[in-house]
Amino acid sequence: MFFKTGKINEFRLWGLLLTLAGMGIMILGTAGILLWGRQGQLIAGIFLILGMISMMGSMAIYFWAGMLSTSAVILKCPECGKQTKMLGATDRCMFCKTILTLDPNLSNTQTSLEQKS
């Protein structure tokens, strides 16, 4: 994981970044009309299509994260005591970022996982 967050929250973060990038690309595209007039309409059209593709990718990531969230294991974090969702063999608490696992073989290597991150 790139950031020290839960996997579901990381998917949502990438969806948000794609949404913001798509909106920024669309705004830059419409600025082409102001800068170049009639010739800028082609640039605006291209940038609007690229922004729309980015927004559609964002929608797909949000849908995927939602589907993963429905099948995630819900457990209580031993550190903060709040309910959190876990994907895979190891994941982080959504609230306190504690590394969680249900696999007894991986529970002994908790300190080595924290050192790698």
Side-chain angles (χ1 to χ4, degrees):
M1 289 189 303
F2 188 68
F3 300 109
K4 291 185 178 183
T5 63
K7 293 175 187 173
I8 295 173
N9 284 345
E10 192 165 334
F11 289 137
R12 291 176 181 153
L13 172 71
W14 287 109
L16 177 65
L17 290 176
L18 269 178
T19 299
L20 295 175
M23 292 172 70
I25 290 169
M26 288 181 185
I27 290 170
L28 287 175
T30 53
I33 296 172
L34 295 174
L35 296 174
W36 296 293
R38 288 290 273 172
Q39 294 83 10
Q41 287 180 349
L42 178 63
I43 294 170
I46 291 170
F47 276 50
L48 287 174
I49 290 171
L50 290 174
M52 183 183 68
I53 290 170
S54 176
M55 298 285 280
M56 297 289 275
S58 168
M59 185 179 69
I61 289 175
Y62 272 119
F63 180 77
W64 185 36
M67 290 294 106
L68 286 174
S69 180
T70 60
S71 64
V73 176
I74 299 174
L75 54 98
K76 191 173 187 178
C77 177
E79 288 289 323
C80 64
K82 295 181 180 178
Q83 279 191 344
T84 186
K85 294 182 178 182
M86 189 174 111
L87 290 176
T90 62
D91 202 352
R92 290 188 179 264
C93 175
M94 291 181 179
F95 305 101
C96 67
K97 315 300 187 251
T98 303
I99 295 177
L100 303 171
T101 183
L102 294 176
D103 190 0
N105 296 329
L106 295 174
S107 65
N108 297 335
T109 61
Q110 182 176 8
T111 55
S112 65
L113 285 176
E114 289 176 354
Q115 291 172 355
K116 289 181 183 178
S117 298

